[in-house]
Amino acid sequence: MAADTPPPSAAPHSRGPAPRGDRPRKPRRQYVRKRKVCQFCVDKVDYIDYKNADLLRSFILDRGKIIPRRITGTCSRHQRWLKTAIARARNIALLPFAAGS
Amino acid sequence: MAEERFYELIFICQPDTPEPEIDKVIATLQQSIEEQQGRLEKLEKWGARKLAYRIGKNREGFYVFLAFRSRQSDLIKELERRLKVSEPVLKYLTVRIDEELKRQSKLAARRERRLARRPRKPAGESATAAG
């Protein structure tokens, strides 16, 4: 996953790099890196419920591992809450611990 | 006396347990909650669900969910002891969530406040605070 530009930090407060719209566009290699936004911040979530297995399931891999926030774009605070919620859900068999089957 | 705390309790029964058997477990829990002056807020039978992993030999389990308030932390000990000794129960989980709910309402209130003053210009807000 080598990229020519360093990935922008996932911090929610920095509003991202300045728009570069008026740069001369090369058709090749020029792609807009879509800025990932914390899904929980967008939805203004204040509490991540461990009972909501369907929601939590979208933040774990099929193997059962938690998806890192550099992939999902979740902010650190929500990732922390998410982690707790997933841990609880795992305890009561709503989510898997690891690749079972 | 300790402050009132809010707990959620989930337990899983063997899927082939007859319903009256499960009701009996629930009844004993209810009884101990009452004995310790707890208040049961919610009682839900989620029914048989697929387990995310096998517990013993079971791939399915009958979920029961309780939410209650209590000032006695001994109540949790008592409930978990009862769950441990009752035959059909595979697994249980008690979570204390009052602090998270408190945080939730705090954040919600803060957002509301912020939204309320949003019509003004965000900058120069502190100058008007003296009024």
Side-chain angles (χ1 to χ4, degrees):
Chain A
M1 285 274 181
D4 41 355
T5 52
S9 85
H13 25 269
S14 72
R15 269 294 146 224
R20 298 187 194 158
D22 44 19
R23 260 257 207 85
R25 234 171 230 277
K26 281 185 208 157
R28 287 183 310 131
R29 301 179 52 75
Q30 183 81 28
Y31 64 96
V32 182
R33 189 184 291 274
K34 201 165 167 215
R35 186 169 179 76
K36 280 174 274 188
V37 190
C38 171
Q39 201 46 53
F40 295 107
C41 287
V42 172
D43 299 339
K44 299 194 168 41
V45 175
D46 292 324
Y47 171 58
I48 300 178
D49 193 356
Y50 65 98
K51 300 188 290 299
N52 190 351
D54 291 331
L55 170 75
L56 300 179
R57 208 173 286 274
S58 59
F59 288 91
I60 62 171
L61 297 169
D62 292 341
R63 295 199 45 185
K65 290 180 142 198
I66 300 177
I67 304 175
R69 62 193 199 85
R70 90 182 108 86
I71 313 280
T72 59
T74 313
C75 73
S76 62
R77 181 199 238 177
H78 280 119
Q79 184 80 2
R80 207 162 54 235
W81 298 355
L82 185 66
K83 173 193 71 186
T84 320
I86 290 174
R88 287 173 178 170
R90 277 175 178 166
N91 194 317
I92 201 68
L94 294 173
L95 292 180
F97 276 104
S101 66
Chain B
M1 207 194 243
E3 92 272 37
E4 200 172 50
R5 293 173 175 175
F6 193 58
Y7 298 96
E8 287 183 346
L9 170 62
I10 298 181
F11 67 91
I12 311 173
C13 288
Q14 306 252 19
D16 51 0
T17 331
E19 190 109 2
E21 199 77 18
I22 295 170
D23 288 335
K24 222 157 64 187
V25 177
I26 296 172
T28 60
L29 297 182
Q30 266 175 318
Q31 196 198 335
S32 6
I33 290 174
E34 265 162 42
E35 272 169 18
Q36 305 248 23
Q37 281 91 45
R39 283 190 290 136
L40 188 68
E41 302 251 313
K42 238 188 241 169
L43 170 62
E44 289 169 14
K45 281 192 224 169
W46 292 353
R49 287 173 67 120
K50 238 188 108 201
L51 299 173
Y53 49 87
R54 285 218 310 254
I55 303 178
K57 287 192 181 109
N58 302 284
R59 293 187 169 278
E60 263 188 4
F62 192 98
Y63 279 74
V64 180
F65 168 78
L66 294 91
F68 58 94
R69 291 174 194 282
S70 170
R71 293 175 191 279
Q72 251 86 28
S73 58
D74 291 344
L75 174 58
I76 306 303
K77 259 189 222 151
E78 170 70 10
L79 292 177
E80 299 207 330
R81 192 189 59 80
R82 282 183 187 238
L83 288 168
K84 205 176 282 175
V85 297
S86 57
E87 201 59 48
V89 176
L90 298 172
K91 213 162 185 207
Y92 53 83
L93 172 76
T94 321
V95 189
R96 182 185 157 195
I97 55 162
D98 51 306
E99 288 185 330
E100 272 154 83
L101 294 181
K102 212 163 84 190
R103 187 185 66 197
Q104 179 186 24
S105 54
K106 193 175 115 191
L107 291 174
R110 198 171 69 182
R111 178 171 308 119
E112 202 123 300
R113 273 205 310 278
R114 233 185 251 165
L115 224 63
R117 67 186 187 201
R118 181 59 53 85
R120 293 192 181 165
K121 285 244 164 82
E125 183 66 41
S126 55
T128 55

